[in-house]
Amino acid sequence: MAQIVLENLAHSYLAAPAGDADWALKQMDHVWKDGGAYALLGASGCGKTTLLNIISGLLRPSRGRVIFDGDDVTDAPTTARNIAQVFQFPVVYDTMTVRQNLAFPLRNRGRDADYIARRVQSIAAMIGMEEMLDRKARGLTADAKQKISLGRGMVREDVNAILFDEPLTVIDPQMKWALRTQLKALHREFGHTMIYVTHDQTEALTFADQVVVMHEGRVVQTGTPEALFETPAHTFVGYFIGSPGMNLLSAEVDGALARVAGCSVPLGADYGRPAGRVQIGIRPEYVIPDPEGPVTATVRRIEDVGHHRILRADVGGTPVNAILPEGQPAATGPVRLSFLADRIGVFSDDWRLAPASGRAGGR
Amino acid sequence: MDKTENNRAWFLVLPVLVVVAFSAIIPLMTVVNYALNDTFGNNEFFWVGLEWFEETLASERVHQALGRQILFSAIILAIQVPLGVYIALNMPRKGFWASFCLVVMALPLLIPFNVVGTIWQIFGRVDIGLLGHTLAAAGIDYNYTNDPLDAWLTIIVMDVWHWTSLIALLAYAGLQSIPQAFYQAARIDQASRWSVFRYIELPKMRGVLLIAVLLRFMDSFMIYTEPFVVTGGGPGNSTTFLSIDLVKMAVGQFDLGPAAAFSIVYFLVILLVSWVFYTVMTNLDREGRP
């Protein structure tokens, strides 16, 4: 168990990276606290796996340092880092039995047979494979193999961190939920530093205390699921998290007023006159059909997704979604909407702006 | 559902049967015919039953040739399989040098057998050969035409030179099919280099290695051209392997009956040993499976 610090880290797969686009990971500093349960969330190809492989030492970063508990391990090989990693696709040792597979990392560390037997038994119980322990791993189903991979990742108690690289992709939904709960329990019990890579926000939000959102090789925000939901620091976080994601509308902001497609929308605070490409963001949960509302929109369609309905509308050519509680009447056609003022975020060049509090306070 | 009985379908197999009959069965039966009869020319045959077989199986000369043959194949497999795998493990996986290695490795395989024999026959000569002359100049008493041990060494080195590439290339193909994730997982699991080989690389190479071992066994067990060109079976009978002995018997001495019986036994031995290899290697890790 260790605190993992990434210092000035950057990585490119090219020998001579030139532009910004050549860097798979843009320069970053990040601290993974000892014992934290982190989810690393982002779209495919945003650098999540690259970051994970750098932490585990499968990849040497082009720049910067990786520090475990104060020790620089940038040049240390994977085997010296004592780290566990579970990959997206199952990796099992075909010729070994399930038991030998689970025992393999412990045997490589030279643990005694008694300890190994006990540990394997408890991991097997955790992944629900006690009956299969003496079967050859070859010929098992993909999800059984992935459970073995997970088990191998968790079998060592003394690892510095456990990294999961979208480990539940091949597992069926019911088992997914059960395994995720197990991982949570394991984390509570042993307090390993865990980093869980996923592009599934539900998975991220249920697993982690802290969610790290990556976008185009950058960490754009780290925070609790609630913080990501309520105050996304970047437009990507806004629309990637939430279902549907945050509505983003180009706007001209002047003080506490935004002009959006010809309508004046009051904001919760004074933002001055921000420069750059300015957008306002509002979660569908906080968009309310209101005959007195300032925003004119056209409703395209209404989707019933069970416990609520999603109103798909259009404001001056930009799609805007609203979540309607069950029972509220809705019809397609023109409608007026209001946005909850203190839930509106203002973004300049995709980054969230803080209210110009001095002036707001002056009023 | 009822199955339609229609025996006319057998006619569809007939062309294949005819081809196989002319290409394999009839020639083989001719050999069987010679093996069970004695003949003094004029196509007159006298039934002798299993006499030739008894003679072959009891023949000291055949026993010795068989012994030499088994020793030769065993040495060849013991050197070429580990060496080929070792070379494959150390070949570059991509880029210019990978292609370069592949081409260089494939070259010996493209040389006709008797040319290989001639190359080594000259190479090893003490008077004009680079190898033989160098060794002689270095004070080493090497002469493959006089010394049985030198003759064996020459032929073994020649065969290793000629055929190790085949195993290396097959093993290399097996290694290339292993996804990177297996190596990464092994590093995560802190596996030693030996464990990576034993639990990842070897199992993935098993299929191609089985083919490689079978091919090398069959080829080395049937070897004729190269030792015939280099040593002609000598000095004495020291490098007279089964094929060379068989040719001496059939063409040299014109003992068609014993030679035919010999051929059939020879064929059955190869078939049997190949079957044993195949069965053992495919069953190697079946135990423990439900």
Side-chain angles (χ1 to χ4, degrees):
Chain A
M1 282 154 257
Q3 168 172 281
I4 299 169
V5 177
L6 308 177
E7 214 176 77
N8 294 324
L9 194 81
H11 187 74
S12 171
Y13 287 100
L14 304 175
D20 213 32
D22 287 351
W23 291 91
L25 280 184
K26 272 73 167 184
Q27 183 146 335
M28 65 166 77
D29 289 283
H30 199 88
V31 177
W32 310 89
K33 290 203 187 76
D34 186 7
Y38 293 91
L40 193 52
L41 184 65
S44 298
C46 71
K48 305 185 298 274
T49 299
T50 305
L51 185 60
L52 220 56
N53 288 347
I54 286 173
I55 294 173
S56 63
L58 295 173
L59 208 59
R60 199 203 174 283
S62 313
R63 281 189 205 158
R65 301 200 299 155
V66 181
I67 297 159
F68 283 16
D69 273 342
D71 295 331
D72 187 337
V73 295
T74 316
D75 289 307
T78 304
T79 44
R81 295 193 190 189
N82 198 17
I83 212 159
Q85 186 171 359
V86 181
F87 299 91
Q88 183 174 5
F89 295 104
V91 176
V92 296
Y93 304 102
D94 278 343
T95 52
M96 296 187 195
T97 62
V98 175
R99 185 191 303 279
Q100 289 165 331
N101 259 284
L102 294 176
F104 192 57
L106 296 176
R107 285 201 358 238
N108 289 332
R109 283 186 79 68
R111 304 302 298 257
D112 65 84
D114 271 2
Y115 172 78
I116 293 178
R118 259 185 294 121
R119 193 69 195 140
V120 165
Q121 206 62 43
S122 72
I123 290 293
M126 185 177 292
I127 58 175
M129 292 192 78
E130 282 166 299
E131 280 94 68
M132 293 197 224
L133 274 176
D134 289 311
R135 281 186 58 166
K136 288 261 175 195
R138 184 211 317 270
L140 294 176
T141 58
D143 64 339
K145 286 184 178 178
Q146 186 65 343
K147 282 193 270 169
I148 298 174
S149 302
L150 270 169
R152 272 211 330 272
M154 300 183 298
V155 76
R156 282 177 283 165
E157 287 174 289
D158 59 345
V159 286
N160 283 319
I162 309 183
L163 315 178
F164 299 96
D165 191 355
E166 306 192 31
L168 302 182
T169 312
V170 295
I171 293 194
D172 66 72
Q174 187 130 20
M175 192 69 206
K176 228 179 220 185
W177 186 84
L179 281 176
R180 211 157 47 213
T181 314
Q182 293 278 24
L183 292 182
K184 248 336 230 190
L186 187 82
H187 178 255
R188 270 196 297 271
E189 190 177 342
F190 293 106
H192 290 121
T193 309
M194 287 190 180
I195 304 176
Y196 188 104
V197 163
T198 178
H199 59 244
D200 177 341
Q201 50 164 313
T202 327
E203 224 167 90
L205 301 181
T206 51
F207 173 79
D209 314 329
Q210 289 278 305
V211 179
V212 178
V213 183
M214 285 187 70
H215 180 53
E216 290 177 346
R218 245 186 212 103
V219 171
V220 286
Q221 190 172 6
T222 306
T224 60
E226 194 195 354
L228 297 184
F229 188 81
E230 297 293 351
T231 51
H234 188 274
T235 53
F236 176 79
V237 181
Y239 67 74
F240 197 72
I241 288 175
S243 174
M246 184 178 249
N247 299 303
L248 292 162
L249 298 143
S250 295
E252 277 173 45
V253 171
D254 185 3
L257 210 61
R259 284 199 68 76
V260 178
C263 317
S264 293
V265 180
L267 302 174
D270 186 338
Y271 288 88
R273 291 182 135 277
R277 190 166 56 87
V278 178
Q279 285 169 298
I280 62 167
I282 177 82
R283 293 250 172 228
E285 286 80 356
Y286 307 129
V287 177
I288 299 153
D290 173 7
E292 312 288 301
V295 182
T296 49
T298 315
V299 177
R300 297 290 176 213
R301 76 204 133 85
I302 291 155
E303 290 169 11
D304 198 328
V305 291
H307 52 86
H308 62 246
R309 279 173 301 165
I310 300 169
L311 183 133
R312 306 267 184 197
D314 182 309
V315 174
T318 311
V320 168
N321 302 314
I323 289 182
L324 304 181
E326 204 61 71
Q328 187 167 337
T332 51
V335 72
R336 292 190 81 83
L337 303 171
S338 72
F339 298 164
L340 283 184
D342 56 353
R343 300 296 189 184
I344 297 176
V346 176
F347 299 89
S348 162
D349 291 330
D350 290 326
W351 294 93
R352 185 185 194 88
L353 293 177
S357 51
R359 273 204 279 164
R363 286 200 177 179
Chain B
M1 215 167 81
D2 280 331
K3 210 171 96 185
T4 319
E5 284 284 339
N6 188 344
N7 286 320
R8 274 176 299 179
W10 287 107
F11 285 108
L12 299 175
V13 190
L14 205 58
V16 179
L17 218 58
V18 170
V19 171
V20 172
F22 274 92
S23 67
I25 298 172
I26 293 174
L28 194 65
M29 284 305 124
T30 325
V31 177
V32 172
N33 190 33
Y34 276 105
L36 298 171
N37 289 287
D38 199 356
T39 174
F40 303 103
N42 298 332
N43 258 352
E44 284 177 61
F45 289 95
F46 303 90
W47 178 259
V48 294
L50 295 175
E51 211 173 289
W52 296 138
F53 285 96
E54 285 160 14
E55 191 186 310
T56 303
L57 292 176
S59 155
E60 191 62 24
R61 164 181 169 182
V62 173
H63 288 171
Q64 284 176 354
L66 181 66
R68 282 190 287 270
Q69 188 70 69
I70 290 171
L71 181 64
F72 179 73
S73 286
I75 292 175
I76 287 303
L77 286 178
I79 295 176
Q80 292 184 356
V81 174
L83 184 62
V85 170
Y86 181 78
I87 291 173
L89 287 173
N90 287 292
M91 273 166 73
R93 293 293 150 87
K94 52 181 180 233
F96 168 79
W97 289 107
S99 320
F100 179 82
C101 285
L102 286 176
V103 172
V104 170
M105 298 290 289
L107 277 181
L109 301 174
L110 302 176
I111 303 175
F113 296 10
N114 49 358
V115 176
V116 172
T118 312
I119 290 173
W120 282 82
Q121 206 263 349
I122 297 171
F123 191 46
R125 276 175 65 163
V126 179
D127 50 353
I128 56 169
L130 183 62
L131 175 69
H133 197 73
T134 312
L135 287 176
I140 295 162
D141 182 22
Y142 165 85
N143 191 333
Y144 67 80
T145 54
N146 291 341
D147 187 322
L149 184 65
D150 291 348
W152 269 77
L153 284 176
T154 310
I155 288 174
I156 286 167
V157 171
M158 172 180 69
D159 202 79
V160 167
W161 175 82
H162 194 180
W163 287 113
T164 303
S165 299
L166 179 73
I167 292 183
L169 293 179
L170 284 170
Y172 184 70
L175 286 176
Q176 289 287 57
S177 71
I178 301 175
Q180 206 52 41
F182 280 83
Y183 291 107
Q184 295 183 334
R187 281 158 72 187
I188 294 291
D189 293 337
Q190 305 180 320
S192 61
R193 180 71 191 86
W194 166 251
S195 292
V196 170
F197 175 71
R198 170 68 186 81
Y199 297 114
I200 296 175
E201 293 173 327
L202 199 58
K204 297 278 174 190
M205 281 194 289
R206 225 168 46 94
V208 286
L209 277 185
L210 171 63
I211 293 170
V213 168
L214 275 181
L215 281 177
R216 281 318 298 136
F217 165 72
M218 289 190 289
D219 275 351
S220 66
F221 210 76
M222 294 188 284
I223 192 166
Y224 174 76
T225 316
E226 299 103 307
F228 182 76
V229 173
V230 177
T231 64
N237 272 334
S238 62
T239 55
T240 301
F241 300 120
L242 286 175
S243 287
I244 297 180
D245 204 24
L246 179 60
V247 171
K248 277 184 185 167
M249 199 184 283
V251 185
Q253 303 157 215
F254 220 67
D255 284 336
L256 292 183
F262 188 172
S263 306
I264 289 168
V265 173
Y266 193 2
F267 167 63
L268 292 177
V269 167
I270 292 179
L271 203 62
L272 177 74
V273 179
S274 299
W275 178 79
V276 168
F277 266 118
Y278 183 81
T279 314
V280 168
M281 289 184 74
T282 47
N283 282 307
L284 218 47
D285 65 345
R286 285 252 177 88
E287 83 279 8
R289 269 178 101 175

